[in-house]
Amino acid sequence: MATVYKLHPENPQGRKVETIAAALRQGAVALYPTDTVYAIGCDLNHKGAVQRVRQIKQLANDKPLTFLCASLSNIADYAIVSDGAYRLIRRLIPGPFTFLLPATRQVPRLVMSPKRRTTGIRVPNSAICLALVETLQNPVISTSALTLLPDSETGQIADKMVMFDALEQFVDIIVDDDQPLAHDVSTILDMEGEEPLMIRQGLGWQKALDWGAQLV
């Protein structure tokens, strides 16, 4: 049975964050809130935990996984960021945006797209997420948990307790921020080319357009 930790959404308790980070470092898989939807995640550098996340989501190894970083400089450790991409990203983070970027050698093969060697990175506007990443000192995998729920496509899941009950068998840790369950996804921006391309409109999409992103 998963251990539940209640964290304040704006001022997460440091001791609890340290406990969660220590568990992630040892290979735990967590269900946790982001600034968009609840996510399933783990330490980017724990191969066994990443494989568990893939199994939970039933994702083949050729499907890339998004992960969370703490800052733009942190992104640059894991992705090749052009001058144009840098200018846009710095205006959008922290926020509900996923950036598809060429991966550096620090990104494990199990996480990236093997054909394109790209990776998806976010810097969320979430005190809980940022505290976890900064305390862990590693990026955290972030893949939507709502797609695992039977009524996710119809949007009928409104109660977090229903989600917790449905998913506790798959994870080791559940983080409860005591906030309503969110259903809005991130905006995805492909930053590989000369112009950033918006390949999914989610939260913040108009802001991304205002700063130069192009609709596909």
Side-chain angles (χ1 to χ4, degrees):
M1 181 176 292
T3 303
V4 179
Y5 294 90
K6 287 196 173 185
L7 294 181
H8 192 281
E10 297 178 3
N11 297 292
Q13 301 89 321
R15 185 171 296 180
K16 289 183 179 180
V17 171
E18 290 175 2
T19 300
I20 296 169
L24 293 177
R25 210 171 283 121
Q26 295 299 314
V29 172
L31 172 65
Y32 64 95
T34 71
D35 55 346
T36 55
V37 299
Y38 255 78
I40 300 284
C42 64
D43 185 336
L44 175 75
N45 291 325
H46 197 290
K47 185 176 180 180
V50 174
Q51 191 61 60
R52 275 186 64 197
V53 171
R54 285 198 174 279
Q55 292 170 350
I56 292 168
K57 288 294 298 276
Q58 298 182 356
L59 293 174
N61 286 347
D62 61 348
K63 300 294 184 182
L65 289 168
T66 295
F67 56 88
L68 308 181
C69 284
S71 65
L72 183 50
S73 60
N74 197 203
I75 288 178
D77 292 332
Y78 296 92
I80 299 169
V81 184
S82 67
D83 290 343
Y86 176 91
R87 285 192 293 271
L88 178 60
I89 293 172
R90 71 184 178 88
R91 296 185 183 279
L92 297 179
I93 62 171
F97 304 96
T98 299
F99 305 104
L100 302 184
L101 293 158
T104 68
R105 292 182 178 180
Q106 289 200 54
V107 178
R109 291 184 178 181
L110 192 57
V111 172
M112 73 173 73
S113 168
K115 293 181 180 179
R116 297 176 64 188
R117 295 191 63 81
T118 57
T119 191
I121 302 180
R122 294 195 58 212
V123 179
N125 187 19
S126 161
I128 289 175
C129 291
L130 294 177
L132 283 175
V133 172
E134 290 167 356
T135 303
L136 180 63
Q137 297 186 327
N138 276 329
V140 174
I141 293 294
S142 182
T143 179
S144 172
L146 295 187
T147 57
L148 294 169
L149 302 175
D151 295 323
S152 62
E153 292 184 2
T154 62
Q156 294 178 8
I157 295 293
D159 188 337
K160 277 203 304 187
M161 293 303 107
V162 173
M163 179 182 66
F164 291 169
D165 288 344
L167 300 183
E168 67 172 351
Q169 61 183 309
F170 301 109
V171 300
D172 307 299
I173 292 169
I174 294 175
V175 178
D176 185 359
D177 62 355
D178 202 27
Q179 299 295 301
L181 185 63
H183 294 83
D184 295 319
V185 296
S186 67
T187 290
I188 299 179
L189 300 170
D190 188 334
M191 312 292 285
E192 291 184 87
E194 294 183 3
E195 293 186 337
L197 301 177
M198 187 180 300
I199 60 177
R200 184 176 76 186
Q201 293 184 35
L203 286 173
W205 67 272
Q206 185 61 58
K207 181 178 180 181
L209 284 183
D210 292 344
W211 286 112
Q214 304 295 315
L215 289 172
V216 176

